Amino acid sequence: RATLDELREAQRWAEALRHLDQAPAQVASGETVSLKAVLANERRYKESLDEALAKIAQKQWSEALEDLQAIPKNSVYFDEAERHRGEVRNAFVQLELDLAAAALDKNQATKAAGHLGNAEIYAPDRRDVRALRARLAETLAKAEPRRASSNRSGRGRKAGKSSAGGGQLTAGQLLA
């Protein structure tokens, strides 16, 4: 029968937890609770890694990235998760850029801004991210004069409404 140390070394977390419950005398009494927490956490981190790898295979980049980021530096699985993060991050950024560009092509600036914002979180300095940000700003700038003129023409009916100043859209205008 394997010892607790052997089970931990083999990363057999569920068995190690059962072993700890059945043979608590192998561990100093004050360490049982913290050791149970470590074993349970490592079991969860292993599940996160397995789920991330499955999602990578399915090209579900956002979900894979979330699962990889759930694995902290103190986990035995951190190095393996870190090996996959770059690939997944790049694929996620590219997907978000593609979705943002497609939304801009359909004049869906708000949707494009959301996807672009997701890409900017992970790659704010990438040239294609900056280029798409400029394209979005240009689209929004072209939309502003139309909105401002339609707001002015309907001003008598909509008293108290003012357009955003300085060429910037308000949150309400972006969400409209």
Side-chain angles (χ1 to χ4, degrees):
R1 189 171 179 173
T3 67
L4 182 60
D5 288 337
E6 291 169 341
L7 293 171
R8 286 180 71 182
E9 186 67 29
Q11 299 177 359
R12 293 165 41 194
W13 310 114
E15 290 176 65
L17 280 165
R18 280 194 301 277
H19 184 83
L20 186 58
D21 286 337
Q22 294 168 359
Q26 288 186 358
V27 178
S29 62
E31 295 177 19
T32 303
V33 172
S34 66
L35 186 54
K36 277 185 178 183
V38 167
L39 296 174
N41 286 338
E42 289 300 337
R43 182 174 60 184
R44 270 198 329 271
Y45 302 147
K46 172 65 172 149
E47 290 168 2
S48 290
L49 181 62
D50 290 344
E51 289 172 15
L53 295 175
K55 290 170 184 170
I56 289 169
Q58 297 169 358
K59 299 188 183 319
Q60 296 175 341
W61 307 118
S62 176
E63 294 88 352
L65 196 53
E66 286 178 27
D67 289 333
L68 291 172
Q69 289 174 326
I71 301 169
K73 288 183 179 181
N74 65 345
S75 170
V76 297
Y77 299 106
F78 179 79
D79 290 339
E80 186 173 354
E82 192 65 15
R83 283 194 297 273
H84 296 283
R85 272 191 193 103
E87 163 202 354
V88 172
R89 190 178 301 119
N90 288 337
F92 172 74
V93 167
Q94 190 58 56
L95 173 65
E96 291 297 314
L97 288 174
D98 292 345
L99 292 170
L104 271 178
D105 290 343
K106 296 176 185 172
N107 292 321
Q108 298 172 335
T110 302
K111 188 174 185 179
H115 288 297
L116 183 56
N118 290 340
E120 286 177 319
I121 290 169
Y122 296 103
D125 297 326
R126 265 181 55 171
R127 183 178 27 224
D128 47 355
V129 171
R130 290 192 316 262
L132 199 55
R133 173 57 65 194
R135 183 176 159 207
L136 176 61
E138 183 180 311
T139 299
L140 292 173
K142 286 178 184 175
E144 180 61 22
R146 286 192 302 257
R147 287 180 185 244
S149 66
S150 68
N151 284 349
R152 268 188 245 116
S153 67
R155 191 167 281 162
R157 291 184 311 246
K158 298 179 185 178
K161 295 257 181 176
S162 64
S163 65
Q168 298 292 319
L169 291 178
T170 65
Q173 289 171 318
L174 278 174
L175 298 173

